[in-house]
Amino acid sequence: VRQRRILIVDDHPAMRRAVSEMLARVLPDALVDEAATGAAGLERAVGEPWDLVLLDLGLADRSGWDVLRDVRRACPGLAVLVMSLQPEEIYGAPVVDAGATAYFAKGGSAEDLAAAVTRALSNSPAQ
Amino acid sequence: LEVSVSASRAQIPLRVEQAVGEVGTGFRDFLDGLFSYFGLYSTDGRILDFNQAALDLAGLGREQVVGRRLTELPFWAGMPEEGERLMGALERAAGGEAVRVETRVGRPGGGIVYVDAAFVPLRDAAGKVTQVITTGVDITTRKTIEMQLAHSERRFAEAQRVAHVGSWEWEVGGDRVAWSDELYEIYGLAKHEFDGTYAGFLSRVHPDDANYTIEIVGNALKAVTPFVYDHRVVRPDGEVRMLHTRGEVIADPRGKPMRMTGCCWDVTDKWQAMRDLEREEERLRASQGQLRALAARLDAIREEERRAIAREVHDQIGQALTVLKLDLASLRARLPPAAGDEARLQAAAMDHLIDDTLGIVRRITAELRPALLDDLGLVAAIQWQARDFGSRTGVACRVEISPDPGVPVAAGEALVLFRILQEALTNVARHARARNVVVRLDLAATEVTLTIADDGRGIDPAQLLHATSLGLVGMQERALVLGGSVTFTSAPGSGTTVMAKLPRTDPR
């Protein structure tokens, strides 16, 4: 089985660490890397092969919505799981409309996040 | 008449007694039958004879007056100077001069009689003055009327002075303009400074009002109609007065204007007060505008601070809680089986606490500045707010959006409408006791209208007028800043409708 490559784009260091650790536990074979800004995240997401990008909406340097659109335009097939603190019932549909593969409301359980990641990977065309 | 009578008697004999002797009792009867007063005096001022009318006036018999002086008669109670004056006239007549005097005498029985008297010298053949003959006529009635007229004129002038009203009359054909005293006062002119012509009047009218005046007066003359108008006049010292003028045209039977009369009311003080009031209102409007701008600025600052706080709470506390939740999950997964139920229960409690705290963070940030208003736009924000309101209060909250907006509402307008919605829903929750709320957004090309209608108990109209506590003024101020308006419709028992209208601007 080919190694899964996952990129976390979030400007909160503790958040990146916690998500990385969670992914390491759930997907021990995956390669997980991090970007700390929207600009760096976009550059790496577009410039390298990824199976999944975990993108936070609330970035400080630029809007997560813009990063999402730019990623989607450059890589139409790349799976992008968008995260934010906003409730899923409000943000879920608009985020998917904007090009995300799925939406995860931060504050959900680790199991739910793991399930969302797994589901997004399984839908990824790279699969 | 009396003078001519006395003059025609210039050549009558020296004494009346002689004349009576000569002419017979017929002449005596004639004199006594006159209702004018007749008297004959010696040149040294003694009474030689009075006719009956004069005796009646004095209330004396003939024998009581003959040989006495005029000043000795009971005529002069309280006015001895009149007697002296008549004695003076008598002396002058004795010196050869015909003298006419208007005088007054006190009737012994009471009352004053005004007399127009003439003193005429009688001469002998050699031309020497031998006697003085006096005739007088009672002019009390005329005098009384004259005095009443003068009094009435004084009162009229006084009334004009008090009311600052002047009257005028213009004889159109001869171009003679006559002014009342008060009108001179109003124009600040002495009598000789006004030439009494229409052109002279026009030259005093304020230059900016002259054409208007010519037009008004011309039209009134042409149509023979009354007129009322206001115009300014300029006094010689440059002071401007405002006159309220009424006039009317008097025409001859064929309709040709003969005279124009009217009055001018000096309304300068009122006019000045009005102008001061207007200036004051202007100042008030300006300061109100400044206050409004200040309020808008404060509101913008407040919104910016709210946005910053919301971001901080979201990014720091929200993220930290999320991380804690993930870390706690990792910790729980690694708890050794020996850790026991107590540790697992404690971890579960921590997880719940984190969930609750995250809920609080979401609520605080949403209230401070709902991110979805910026992220998803006004429509989504309204829908979320309505759903949130419904679940918090149990009041059914329906949202109608019509028609589907082709262009998103600009951020500034969206924020104002959203804040008005929040305020209105807060009022519904606190006061309305409603069961249903309908929130409606109408997006027209040039205007966006947000209506929040509840079926609650309504607001008393009196309360609506003074309802600062309900945040109504705040809603209106928010809308006013963007050139919009908020109206409240309510009556006890029939619910409340808040309608906000904003003009639409380009969202970019």
Side-chain angles (χ1 to χ4, degrees):
Chain A
V1 179
R2 186 177 62 82
Q3 189 187 35
R4 306 302 186 104
R5 293 172 54 87
I6 302 175
L7 176 68
I8 302 170
V9 184
D10 197 313
D11 54 7
H12 204 283
M15 180 63 74
R16 291 198 301 274
R17 185 210 22 96
V19 173
S20 282
E21 286 175 9
M22 188 278 296
L23 289 175
R25 210 167 56 244
V26 179
L27 300 165
D29 299 328
L31 182 148
V32 177
D33 211 339
E34 302 171 9
T37 66
L42 175 62
E43 191 184 326
R44 296 201 57 189
V46 170
E48 299 168 31
W50 301 100
D51 294 290
L52 175 65
V53 173
L54 284 176
L55 173 64
D56 182 45
L57 266 189
L59 297 166
D61 65 327
R62 55 180 306 198
S63 155
W65 295 87
D66 293 346
V67 175
L68 171 63
R69 285 188 190 93
D70 290 350
V71 168
R72 179 54 66 233
R73 198 173 302 129
C75 316
L78 176 56
V80 180
L81 176 61
V82 169
M83 306 182 294
S84 93
L85 272 174
Q86 305 297 338
E88 204 210 324
E89 64 265 31
I90 300 171
Y91 272 61
V95 162
V96 169
D97 286 348
T101 310
Y103 178 77
F104 176 74
K106 285 180 176 176
S109 70
E111 293 74 27
D112 287 348
L113 178 54
V117 167
T118 311
R119 209 164 35 242
L121 277 174
S122 68
N123 289 338
S124 169
Q127 179 65 27
Chain B
L1 182 66
E2 273 62 46
V3 175
S4 67
V5 166
S6 59
S8 71
R9 295 276 169 254
Q11 52 296 58
I12 64 172
L14 295 183
R15 293 184 62 120
V16 174
E17 280 83 355
Q18 289 176 322
V20 168
E22 283 169 21
V23 196
T25 52
F27 188 61
R28 171 92 247 161
D29 291 346
F30 166 71
L31 286 177
D32 283 343
L34 288 176
F35 60 74
S36 25
Y37 312 118
F38 174 83
L40 191 67
Y41 299 84
S42 63
T43 50
D44 63 355
R46 294 193 183 277
I47 297 166
L48 299 175
D49 199 2
F50 264 20
N51 74 341
Q52 193 56 47
L55 291 171
D56 289 349
L57 182 63
L60 299 170
R62 186 167 283 112
E63 68 288 354
Q64 290 175 290
V65 300
V66 169
R68 299 177 74 177
R69 292 174 177 278
L70 254 182
T71 46
E72 293 165 0
L73 296 187
F75 282 146
W76 321 110
M79 42 187 186
E81 72 284 354
E82 283 297 314
E84 296 299 335
R85 206 157 68 84
L86 287 193
M87 286 305 288
L90 198 52
E91 266 171 41
R92 280 162 60 199
E97 194 182 334
V99 182
R100 178 105 177 236
V101 175
E102 238 178 52
T103 185
R104 59 204 165 113
V105 299
R107 227 187 242 285
I112 290 194
V113 175
Y114 289 84
V115 178
D116 184 1
F119 294 82
V120 180
L122 286 179
R123 298 171 196 274
D124 60 13
K128 181 169 174 281
V129 177
T130 55
Q131 289 159 332
V132 174
I133 190 166
T134 306
T135 56
V137 63
D138 182 347
I139 56 165
T140 306
T141 308
R142 193 188 87 201
K143 208 66 190 169
T144 308
I145 291 170
E146 274 176 10
M147 283 190 299
Q148 279 172 348
L149 190 64
H151 180 63
S152 160
E153 273 173 358
R154 268 200 308 280
R155 282 177 46 166
F156 184 58
E158 177 68 6
Q160 290 206 345
R161 197 180 62 72
V162 169
H164 299 297
V165 173
S167 52
W168 49 266
E169 181 161 342
W170 177 29
E171 186 215 318
V172 180
D175 190 19
R176 294 306 308 159
V177 178
W179 283 0
S180 72
D181 290 351
E182 182 58 23
L183 200 52
Y184 280 96
E185 286 289 325
I186 290 170
Y187 275 77
L189 292 174
K191 292 267 159 86
H192 69 271
E193 288 176 300
F194 175 51
D195 66 3
T197 65
Y198 180 61
F201 150 70
L202 274 183
S203 71
R204 305 292 175 179
V205 173
H206 191 285
D208 292 349
D209 294 349
N211 285 338
Y212 179 51
T213 298
I214 291 167
E215 189 187 322
I216 294 266
V217 172
N219 288 344
L221 275 182
K222 212 179 298 169
V224 192
T225 49
F227 61 93
V228 181
Y229 81 119
D230 291 352
H231 66 91
R232 289 163 294 174
V233 298
V234 183
R235 288 180 168 181
D237 63 3
E239 191 189 342
V240 173
R241 308 294 296 183
M242 174 62 87
L243 306 191
H244 180 68
T245 294
R246 291 171 170 275
E248 57 184 22
V249 182
I250 295 149
D252 69 11
R254 285 171 303 169
K256 183 173 182 286
M258 303 296 291
R259 287 180 301 131
M260 191 179 267
T261 66
C263 54
C264 301
W265 180 18
D266 186 344
V267 292
T268 309
D269 293 348
K270 208 174 74 169
W271 173 63
Q272 205 73 49
M274 199 78 89
R275 292 213 312 182
D276 289 350
L277 197 66
E278 277 167 11
R279 264 198 294 273
E280 201 55 35
E281 274 174 359
E282 187 52 50
R283 236 167 46 84
L284 208 60
R285 265 196 297 277
S287 95
Q288 204 173 28
Q290 284 172 343
L291 272 181
R292 187 157 284 153
L294 181 65
R297 172 99 188 93
L298 286 177
D299 202 54
I301 290 171
R302 195 173 60 149
E303 286 293 348
E304 196 39 60
E305 279 179 348
R306 284 174 150 211
R307 190 204 292 262
I309 294 169
R311 172 168 285 272
E312 201 70 5
V313 169
H314 173 274
D315 286 359
Q316 302 305 323
I317 304 175
Q319 301 279 46
L321 287 169
T322 306
V323 171
L324 282 176
K325 191 173 166 71
L326 289 176
D327 285 351
L328 180 62
S330 147
L331 212 56
R332 285 168 81 184
R334 282 182 279 152
L335 273 178
D341 287 344
E342 202 181 320
R344 284 174 218 288
L345 280 174
Q346 196 175 5
M350 286 172 70
D351 194 51
H352 275 125
L353 182 59
I354 290 171
D355 284 345
D356 290 349
T357 312
L358 266 172
I360 292 169
V361 165
R362 284 202 185 93
R363 211 190 65 228
I364 289 174
T365 54
E367 278 172 10
L368 282 172
R369 173 75 184 202
L372 75 157
L373 187 60
D374 298 322
D375 289 342
L376 305 178
L378 180 62
V379 172
I382 288 174
Q383 278 162 339
W384 167 78
Q385 184 75 44
R387 200 161 49 225
D388 180 62
F389 176 79
S391 66
R392 274 191 295 114
T393 63
V395 178
C397 190
R398 193 171 80 243
V399 176
E400 297 173 359
I401 310 287
S402 154
D404 191 77
V407 186
V409 177
E413 289 142 37
L415 181 59
V416 164
L417 289 172
F418 187 75
R419 291 299 187 209
I420 289 172
L421 172 66
Q422 284 182 312
E423 189 76 48
L425 289 179
T426 301
N427 285 340
V428 171
R430 283 193 190 149
H431 309 289
R433 295 187 196 153
R435 289 193 301 169
N436 295 282
V437 178
V438 177
V439 178
R440 185 178 171 82
L441 186 69
D442 285 296
L443 293 142
T446 57
E447 190 179 63
V448 52
T449 308
L450 176 69
T451 313
I452 304 108
D454 69 58
D455 61 355
R457 59 178 177 157
I459 308 173
D460 191 289
Q463 208 186 343
L464 260 185
L465 280 176
H466 307 285
T468 47
S469 62
L470 295 179
L472 305 186
V473 173
M475 288 189 234
Q476 281 171 327
E477 281 301 314
R478 281 178 183 280
L480 261 173
V481 168
L482 296 184
S485 65
V486 178
T487 54
F488 307 94
T489 317
S490 187
S494 59
T496 302
T497 299
V498 177
M499 183 184 280
K501 278 181 185 292
L502 294 183
R504 292 197 70 177
T505 55
D506 192 309
R508 287 164 298 277

CSV table of all heavy atoms in Angstrom, one decimal, chain A residues 80-101:
chain,number,residue,atom,x,y,z
A,80,VAL,N,-9.8,17.9,0.2
A,80,VAL,CA,-9.5,18.9,1.2
A,80,VAL,C,-10.6,18.8,2.3
A,80,VAL,O,-11.8,18.9,2.0
A,80,VAL,CB,-9.6,20.4,0.6
A,80,VAL,CG1,-9.3,21.4,1.6
A,80,VAL,CG2,-8.6,20.5,-0.6
A,81,LEU,N,-10.1,18.6,3.5
A,81,LEU,CA,-11.0,18.5,4.7
A,81,LEU,C,-10.9,19.9,5.4
A,81,LEU,O,-9.8,20.2,5.9
A,81,LEU,CB,-10.7,17.4,5.6
A,81,LEU,CG,-11.5,17.3,6.9
A,81,LEU,CD1,-13.0,17.0,6.5
A,81,LEU,CD2,-11.0,16.1,7.7
A,82,VAL,N,-12.0,20.7,5.4
A,82,VAL,CA,-11.9,22.0,6.0
A,82,VAL,C,-12.4,21.9,7.4
A,82,VAL,O,-13.3,21.2,7.7
A,82,VAL,CB,-12.8,23.0,5.2
A,82,VAL,CG1,-13.0,24.3,6.0
A,82,VAL,CG2,-12.2,23.3,3.8
A,83,MET,N,-11.7,22.6,8.3
A,83,MET,CA,-12.0,22.6,9.7
A,83,MET,C,-12.2,24.0,10.2
A,83,MET,O,-11.5,24.9,9.8
A,83,MET,CB,-10.9,22.0,10.6
A,83,MET,CG,-10.4,20.6,10.1
A,83,MET,SD,-9.1,20.0,11.2
A,83,MET,CE,-7.8,21.1,10.8
A,84,SER,N,-13.1,24.1,11.2
A,84,SER,CA,-13.2,25.4,11.9
A,84,SER,C,-14.1,25.2,13.1
A,84,SER,O,-14.7,24.1,13.3
A,84,SER,CB,-13.8,26.5,11.1
A,84,SER,OG,-15.2,26.6,11.2
A,85,LEU,N,-14.2,26.1,14.0
A,85,LEU,CA,-15.0,26.0,15.2
A,85,LEU,C,-16.5,26.1,15.0
A,85,LEU,O,-17.3,25.9,15.8
A,85,LEU,CB,-14.6,27.0,16.3
A,85,LEU,CG,-13.4,26.7,17.2
A,85,LEU,CD1,-13.0,27.9,18.0
A,85,LEU,CD2,-13.8,25.5,18.1
A,86,GLN,N,-16.8,26.6,13.8
A,86,GLN,CA,-18.2,26.9,13.5
A,86,GLN,C,-19.0,25.6,13.3
A,86,GLN,O,-18.5,24.6,12.9
A,86,GLN,CB,-18.4,27.7,12.2
A,86,GLN,CG,-17.5,29.0,12.2
A,86,GLN,CD,-18.0,30.0,13.3
A,86,GLN,OE1,-19.2,29.9,13.7
A,86,GLN,NE2,-17.1,30.9,13.7
A,87,PRO,N,-20.3,25.6,13.7
A,87,PRO,CA,-21.1,24.4,13.7
A,87,PRO,C,-21.3,23.9,12.3
A,87,PRO,O,-21.4,24.6,11.3
A,87,PRO,CB,-22.4,24.8,14.3
A,87,PRO,CG,-22.4,26.3,14.3
A,87,PRO,CD,-21.0,26.8,14.3
A,88,GLU,N,-21.3,22.5,12.2
A,88,GLU,CA,-21.3,21.9,10.9
A,88,GLU,C,-22.6,22.2,10.1
A,88,GLU,O,-22.6,22.3,8.9
A,88,GLU,CB,-21.2,20.4,11.0
A,88,GLU,CG,-20.6,19.8,9.7
A,88,GLU,CD,-21.1,18.4,9.5
A,88,GLU,OE1,-21.2,17.6,10.5
A,88,GLU,OE2,-21.3,18.0,8.3
A,89,GLU,N,-23.7,22.3,10.9
A,89,GLU,CA,-25.0,22.5,10.2
A,89,GLU,C,-25.1,23.8,9.5
A,89,GLU,O,-25.9,23.9,8.5
A,89,GLU,CB,-26.2,22.4,11.2
A,89,GLU,CG,-26.2,23.4,12.3
A,89,GLU,CD,-25.6,22.9,13.6
A,89,GLU,OE1,-24.6,22.1,13.5
A,89,GLU,OE2,-26.0,23.4,14.7
A,90,ILE,N,-24.2,24.8,9.9
A,90,ILE,CA,-24.2,26.0,9.1
A,90,ILE,C,-23.1,26.0,8.1
A,90,ILE,O,-23.4,26.4,6.9
A,90,ILE,CB,-24.0,27.2,10.1
A,90,ILE,CG1,-25.1,27.3,11.1
A,90,ILE,CG2,-24.0,28.5,9.3
A,90,ILE,CD1,-24.9,28.3,12.2
A,91,TYR,N,-21.9,25.6,8.5
A,91,TYR,CA,-20.8,25.7,7.6
A,91,TYR,C,-20.6,24.5,6.6
A,91,TYR,O,-20.0,24.7,5.6
A,91,TYR,CB,-19.5,25.9,8.4
A,91,TYR,CG,-19.3,27.4,8.7
A,91,TYR,CD1,-20.2,28.1,9.5
A,91,TYR,CD2,-18.2,28.0,8.2
A,91,TYR,CE1,-20.0,29.4,9.8
A,91,TYR,CE2,-17.9,29.4,8.5
A,91,TYR,CZ,-18.9,30.1,9.3
A,91,TYR,OH,-18.7,31.4,9.5
A,92,GLY,N,-21.2,23.4,7.0
A,92,GLY,CA,-21.0,22.2,6.2
A,92,GLY,C,-21.3,22.4,4.7
A,92,GLY,O,-20.4,22.2,3.8
A,93,ALA,N,-22.5,22.8,4.4
A,93,ALA,CA,-22.9,22.9,3.0
A,93,ALA,C,-22.1,24.0,2.3
A,93,ALA,O,-21.6,23.8,1.2
A,93,ALA,CB,-24.4,23.1,2.9
A,94,PRO,N,-22.0,25.2,2.8
A,94,PRO,CA,-21.3,26.3,2.1
A,94,PRO,C,-19.9,25.9,1.8
A,94,PRO,O,-19.3,26.2,0.8
A,94,PRO,CB,-21.4,27.5,3.0
A,94,PRO,CG,-22.6,27.2,3.9
A,94,PRO,CD,-22.7,25.7,4.1
A,95,VAL,N,-19.2,25.2,2.8
A,95,VAL,CA,-17.8,24.9,2.6
A,95,VAL,C,-17.7,23.9,1.5
A,95,VAL,O,-16.8,24.0,0.6
A,95,VAL,CB,-17.2,24.3,3.9
A,95,VAL,CG1,-15.9,23.6,3.7
A,95,VAL,CG2,-17.0,25.5,4.9
A,96,VAL,N,-18.6,22.9,1.4
A,96,VAL,CA,-18.5,21.9,0.4
A,96,VAL,C,-18.8,22.6,-1.0
A,96,VAL,O,-18.2,22.3,-2.0
A,96,VAL,CB,-19.5,20.7,0.6
A,96,VAL,CG1,-19.7,19.8,-0.6
A,96,VAL,CG2,-19.0,19.9,1.8
A,97,ASP,N,-19.8,23.6,-0.9
A,97,ASP,CA,-20.1,24.3,-2.2
A,97,ASP,C,-18.9,25.1,-2.7
A,97,ASP,O,-18.7,25.2,-3.9
A,97,ASP,CB,-21.2,25.3,-1.9
A,97,ASP,CG,-22.6,24.7,-1.8
A,97,ASP,OD1,-22.7,23.5,-2.1
A,97,ASP,OD2,-23.5,25.3,-1.3
A,98,ALA,N,-18.0,25.5,-1.7
A,98,ALA,CA,-16.9,26.3,-2.1
A,98,ALA,C,-15.7,25.4,-2.6
A,98,ALA,O,-14.7,25.9,-2.9
A,98,ALA,CB,-16.4,27.1,-0.9
A,99,GLY,N,-15.9,24.0,-2.5
A,99,GLY,CA,-14.9,23.1,-3.1
A,99,GLY,C,-14.3,22.1,-2.2
A,99,GLY,O,-13.5,21.3,-2.5
A,100,ALA,N,-14.7,22.2,-0.9
A,100,ALA,CA,-14.1,21.2,0.1
A,100,ALA,C,-14.7,19.8,-0.1
A,100,ALA,O,-15.8,19.7,-0.6
A,100,ALA,CB,-14.4,21.7,1.5
A,101,THR,N,-13.9,18.8,0.2
A,101,THR,CA,-14.4,17.5,0.2
A,101,THR,C,-15.4,17.2,1.3
A,101,THR,O,-16.4,16.5,1.1
A,101,THR,CB,-13.2,16.5,0.3
A,101,THR,OG1,-12.2,16.9,-0.7
A,101,THR,CG2,-13.6,15.1,0.0
